[in-house]
Amino acid sequence: MEKIGHSAAKKQIMITILDRYIIRNFLGTLFFMLLLLIAVFVIIDIQSHYQEFSENGFSVLDTLKLYYPFYVIWAVNVFASILVFISVIYFTSRMANNTEIVAITSSGTSFFRFSRPYFIVGIMIALGSFMTNHFLLPWANIKKNEFNVKILTGNKKDAYMANQNISAQISPTEYIFVNSYNRQMKRGTGFLYQKFNEKRILLHELRSAEIYWSEEDNTYVLGNYYEKEMSSNGNIVSLKNGNTLKKHFNFTPDELLPEAFVAETMNTPELREFIKKEKMRGANNVNIYLNELHQRTSSSVAVVILTFLALSLSSTKKRGGLGINLAIGISCAFLYIFSFQALQVFSSKGILPSWFAVWLPNIIFGIITLVLYVKRAYA
């Protein structure tokens, strides 16, 4: 009896050592891949933007402090699932080629039990990616994009700084027009606000020669304004005019003329509220923001899916060895990225629902992973 108990305890120790061995290999390979990716990305980016840095008075050391820490957060999180995929294929293929997996499963350890440390690490990375996507990455994107604006040169800078015309629907019955608006100064000229009823009869009209945003009290200040109130039958109820009028509208300057990358700079609660407002005002580019919202979760789930797909593909010794497994892995990674990007284009054009376009690659690769994993487990 004592001998049996001792044998069971010894087996339990062996399994614990196995878990630690796989987790150490998983994280070690992933960490090496991350360092390699960061080094390559940063070097290439410095070379491609060196002239822009210099023309705007930034040294390479300045960029390493002010820009690249946030750039690295963005790059690592964007490629996290692919890095995990390649890392698992690499170290699992090595184990398979060294017949380690055969020895482990021959000792009585099932493939399901062998997979447990993969699941543990995959879930840990997915949770970290989830929190980063929803809260940390938007903050990093704000810092990254602020620096990108500072290094704009030539035509790009002129286009960004130029005054723009604004024509926006801020609700189903309210419209805003500005002849010339400067996003840097948050000031415009030729302002018009109109509100209609359900029968499209004008109820309220407000015009001003100029408009600017007051940071102190978060209101718009109108100069040389003219205001008209109308009844539902079209009669004028009241007329007002004056030099200055402070007015509160249900939008900020950033929402009035949002940057192309505005969605990636908002944490998830802010993004949900922003999407709600955009839907209310009838904006036609809501799917772009919905894509950003859905992919924050789908990319985290992809980490777990690709972990088990890599395990299923590389845990059997093949004639081509590590090389063939890496070739298959890189091909799968390319296919995943291509399908993910292509479907988002269809979604942004309104051809596909946003949730469907963002989650479809995970659904397809999830089914393939399940089939391959079960097949490998019972081989």
Side-chain angles (χ1 to χ4, degrees):
M1 191 77 175
E2 184 179 345
K3 189 174 181 180
I4 295 173
H6 179 71
S7 177
K10 189 175 179 180
K11 187 175 180 181
Q12 185 64 37
I13 292 172
M14 183 194 73
I15 292 174
T16 303
I17 292 172
L18 172 63
D19 289 342
R20 291 177 180 175
Y21 176 71
I22 293 175
I23 290 171
R24 185 170 63 249
N25 273 279
F26 194 154
L27 295 179
T29 307
L30 179 61
F31 184 69
F32 173 77
M33 294 279 188
L34 282 175
L35 289 180
L36 189 63
L37 175 81
I38 291 168
V40 171
F41 271 40
V42 169
I43 290 171
I44 292 175
D45 197 74
I46 288 175
Q47 288 181 334
S48 62
H49 292 100
Y50 182 76
Q51 186 176 353
E52 295 173 357
F53 295 154
S54 300
E55 289 180 7
N56 287 279
F58 293 102
S59 66
V60 173
L61 186 60
D62 291 332
T63 62
L64 291 175
K65 294 178 183 177
L66 302 174
Y67 175 64
Y68 283 108
F70 312 109
Y71 176 85
V72 166
I73 294 174
W74 169 82
V76 168
N77 213 58
V78 166
F79 294 98
S81 57
I82 302 302
L83 283 173
V84 168
F85 183 66
I86 300 298
S87 298
V88 172
I89 282 185
Y90 180 77
F91 86 83
T92 306
S93 296
R94 287 180 59 189
M95 290 178 66
N97 289 339
N98 295 333
T99 64
E100 293 177 61
I101 297 177
V102 172
I104 292 168
T105 53
S106 298
S107 69
T109 302
S110 70
F111 188 74
F112 295 109
R113 176 60 186 85
F114 171 75
S115 306
R116 191 172 77 174
Y118 288 86
F119 177 75
I120 293 170
V121 178
I123 288 293
M124 288 172 57
I125 296 171
L127 289 174
S129 174
F130 180 86
M131 296 303 295
T132 301
N133 278 336
H134 286 272
F135 299 101
L136 177 61
L137 187 59
W139 169 79
N141 283 333
I142 291 173
K143 300 295 184 181
K144 177 173 67 73
N145 294 335
E146 283 177 353
F147 190 85
N148 281 330
V149 171
K150 292 178 182 177
I151 62 170
L152 288 174
T153 58
N155 294 334
K156 291 182 180 179
K157 188 171 186 177
D158 294 338
Y160 183 83
M161 299 293 290
N163 291 352
Q164 300 182 45
N165 177 274
I166 296 176
S167 176
Q169 182 179 1
I170 60 173
S171 81
T173 59
E174 296 176 283
Y175 298 85
I176 289 285
F177 306 93
V178 184
N179 287 339
S180 180
Y181 181 79
N182 187 288
R183 71 166 77 238
Q184 290 292 104
M185 299 178 65
K186 297 182 180 179
R187 181 182 293 269
T189 58
F191 171 78
L192 170 63
Y193 163 80
Q194 292 180 322
K195 182 175 182 179
F196 298 83
N197 64 9
E198 293 77 7
K199 297 180 180 180
R200 312 306 297 171
I201 297 174
L202 182 64
L203 299 179
H204 185 199
E205 182 176 277
L206 178 60
R207 297 175 179 268
S208 69
E210 60 178 357
I211 180 173
Y212 68 89
W213 174 253
S214 173
E215 298 280 359
E216 296 179 0
D217 49 8
N218 293 331
T219 59
Y220 290 93
V221 180
L222 310 180
N224 297 323
Y225 72 92
Y226 171 83
E227 189 172 18
K228 179 170 62 175
E229 295 280 353
M230 309 281 286
S231 66
S232 57
N233 56 15
N235 296 325
I236 297 175
V237 176
S238 68
L239 292 172
K240 297 178 184 178
N241 62 76
N243 294 325
T244 305
L245 174 67
K246 285 194 172 185
K247 187 76 174 178
H248 176 75
F249 292 105
N250 192 29
F251 57 85
T252 65
D254 292 334
E255 294 170 339
L256 183 65
L257 189 66
E259 305 274 10
F261 46 74
V262 64
E264 68 181 36
T265 62
M266 298 179 181
N267 63 41
T268 297
E270 292 171 343
L271 182 56
R272 288 184 185 278
E273 186 62 28
F274 177 73
I275 290 171
K276 183 179 178 182
K277 289 182 179 179
E278 290 295 291
K279 284 182 176 179
M280 184 183 68
R281 72 175 202 162
N284 57 7
N285 57 349
V286 174
N287 268 16
I288 296 174
Y289 309 133
L290 286 170
N291 286 347
E292 172 67 25
L293 178 64
H294 290 302
Q295 77 175 12
R296 292 182 179 184
T297 302
S298 70
S299 62
S300 301
V301 173
V303 171
V304 179
I305 293 173
L306 293 180
T307 295
F308 278 87
L309 178 59
L311 171 62
S312 303
L313 290 172
S314 59
S315 57
T316 304
K317 188 174 182 179
K318 297 182 177 67
R319 180 173 295 180
L322 179 60
I324 190 66
N325 282 338
L326 284 175
I328 294 172
I330 292 171
S331 299
C332 289
F334 174 79
L335 183 61
Y336 178 84
I337 293 173
F338 176 78
S339 62
F340 186 77
Q341 295 297 330
L343 287 167
Q344 284 205 53
V345 171
F346 285 120
S347 173
S348 62
K349 301 294 184 183
I351 300 173
L352 292 173
S354 178
W355 68 267
F356 181 75
V358 173
W359 282 96
L360 185 59
N362 279 357
I363 294 171
I364 294 173
F365 275 78
I367 294 171
I368 293 172
T369 298
L370 182 62
V371 171
L372 292 176
Y373 179 74
V374 172
K375 183 179 178 182
R376 173 65 184 86
Y378 290 104

